[in-house]
Structures are given as structure tokens and as C-alpha cells.
Amino acid sequence: SRRWYCVGCMRFFLQECHLNTHLRASKLHNELTITCPGRRCTKAFVSYSDLTLHLESGACRSMVDRTIINNLAVRVEPRGVITNPARLLTGPSGDPSVPQPIRTYATAQSFNGTAYECILCHRTFVTLPRLDAHLNSPAHDEEIYHCPTAYDGCGVEFKTLSGLLQHMESECCDVRKFRNQVTKTLDVLTAQMGRIAL
């Protein structure tokens, strides 16, 4: 089958859009032009999805994390272009809100005789800290984001904003035809990230 090839990295890709994503998102082919808005954070990124992943991870000195990003996305984007109202809670005021994550920690009782087992999905882990990391990752979060079908998107759902951004930056689905309209929504969201990450 025909494969696409990056000469600089000597890597093959199965689809042209995968090669294009690699060329746009790789640190080897691009400058790090997007700086983190967090106070005292000096990190820079190639794409908004990388910046968002950095903030969602909770590793930024700004103390912004996945919960803050999710709440901001729902507040800034009430029309449901990229968020899925069916997966959100409705508060007393009628405004949608994100289900709050519960901090979960495993104990030694999670050991099943050979490994530490997640009681929710039954995946196993070699160490207890790895199981804890899994429990506090987005693995069991609601898929509150979706590729906007209103703009010819594929409707695929995502648990994180960074996952949706990576999908949109890949340009592998038809949402790329409406990139300007969707980008306006994302621009508002990323501008708000700058305000909260101080």
C-alpha cells in the first residue's frame, strides 16, 4: 500500500493527514511559538493541544488542571459546539456544569495476587502508584467533548479538550473545511486559559 514518508525523520505514515500532522506538530520540524500563560512557567509548545495537555496534567506552576480546563470550556462554550450537553450536569440555575472528579486512591487490597487491579475497568498495573495514576487520569471521565457535527465533524467524543484539539489539528476529518468557524470558539477558550493561568 502507498505510504507517506517524512524525509527528515525517516518515518513512514499510513495516511497523508498523519504525515501532515507530524510535520505541523513535531518539535523537530517547528519552533515552540506558543508559550504557557502560567505565572513563572517558561514552557513553550508547538500547538494549542500541547499547551492544553500541559495545563490539564496539573504540571504547570499555575496550578491549573483538567478540572479547571473542563469547567472553563463549559462556561465559555454554552452552545455545545465542542461540548456535549447530554454528558453534562444541569445545575439549579439551568446552566450546564462538568461532573466533578472524585480523587481516588487504591490500597494494597487492590492486589489480585499477580498485579494491582482497577475495580472500574479491571486493567492491571505492576505497582500501586501506577494504579493510582490511572485512577486519577481521565480514563474514567465522561466524554464531554465532541468533534462538531454542525461543522461537518465526525462526532467522535473525547474525555479531554487536548484530545479534541489533537483530533482537529490532525485535519483527518471533514471539520477541517470549517476550521475558521471552529477556531473562533477555540480562540475564545484559549484566551480564557490565559486569564486563569496566572
Side-chain angles (χ1 to χ4, degrees), residues 84-103:
N84 184 350
R87 301 267 184 166
L88 301 173
L89 299 174
T90 303
S93 65
D95 295 330
S97 65
V98 179
Q100 296 302 310
I102 298 170
R103 203 75 162 142

Side-chain angles (χ1 to χ4, degrees), residues 59-107:
C60 182
R61 293 180 180 185
S62 66
M63 305 302 287
V64 172
D65 62 10
R66 189 170 75 251
T67 302
I68 293 171
I69 294 293
N70 289 344
N71 285 320
L72 176 66
V74 169
R75 190 174 73 240
V76 170
E77 206 274 301
R79 293 188 343 246
V81 174
I82 61 169
T83 56
N84 184 350
R87 301 267 184 166
L88 301 173
L89 299 174
T90 303
S93 65
D95 295 330
S97 65
V98 179
Q100 296 302 310
I102 298 170
R103 203 75 162 142
T104 308
Y105 297 96
T107 65

Side-chain angles (χ1 to χ4, degrees), residues 155-166:
V156 171
E157 296 180 319
F158 300 89
K159 296 177 181 190
T160 61
L161 179 59
S162 59
L164 171 63
L165 292 173
Q166 288 169 350

Side-chain angles (χ1 to χ4, degrees), residues 6-104:
C6 175
V7 176
C9 298
M10 297 186 291
R11 283 183 59 192
F12 285 99
F13 297 87
L14 294 176
Q15 295 181 15
E16 183 179 15
C17 68
H18 295 161
L19 171 62
N20 291 337
T21 299
H22 165 75
L23 293 173
R24 269 192 317 278
S26 172
K27 294 176 186 175
L28 300 173
H29 301 294
N30 297 282
E31 292 182 36
L32 305 177
T33 57
I34 300 170
T35 57
C36 179
R39 184 181 294 167
R40 298 184 319 273
C41 186
T42 57
K43 295 195 176 197
F45 305 92
V46 172
S47 67
Y48 282 109
S49 63
D50 290 343
L51 168 61
T52 307
L53 184 61
H54 163 71
L55 293 170
E56 286 173 341
S57 73
C60 182
R61 293 180 180 185
S62 66
M63 305 302 287
V64 172
D65 62 10
R66 189 170 75 251
T67 302
I68 293 171
I69 294 293
N70 289 344
N71 285 320
L72 176 66
V74 169
R75 190 174 73 240
V76 170
E77 206 274 301
R79 293 188 343 246
V81 174
I82 61 169
T83 56
N84 184 350
R87 301 267 184 166
L88 301 173
L89 299 174
T90 303
S93 65
D95 295 330
S97 65
V98 179
Q100 296 302 310
I102 298 170
R103 203 75 162 142
T104 308

Side-chain angles (χ1 to χ4, degrees), residues 73-154:
V74 169
R75 190 174 73 240
V76 170
E77 206 274 301
R79 293 188 343 246
V81 174
I82 61 169
T83 56
N84 184 350
R87 301 267 184 166
L88 301 173
L89 299 174
T90 303
S93 65
D95 295 330
S97 65
V98 179
Q100 296 302 310
I102 298 170
R103 203 75 162 142
T104 308
Y105 297 96
T107 65
Q109 292 178 335
S110 300
F111 192 71
N112 65 11
T114 56
Y116 294 93
E117 184 176 342
C118 175
I119 60 168
L120 300 172
C121 65
H122 304 292
R123 281 185 60 195
T124 57
F125 300 86
V126 176
T127 65
L128 193 55
R130 287 187 182 172
L131 173 57
D132 280 335
H134 164 75
L135 288 170
N136 291 297
S137 76
H140 300 293
D141 286 359
E142 285 287 332
E143 294 172 326
I144 64 169
Y145 300 99
H146 62 117
C147 184
T149 54
Y151 293 109
D152 276 1
C154 60

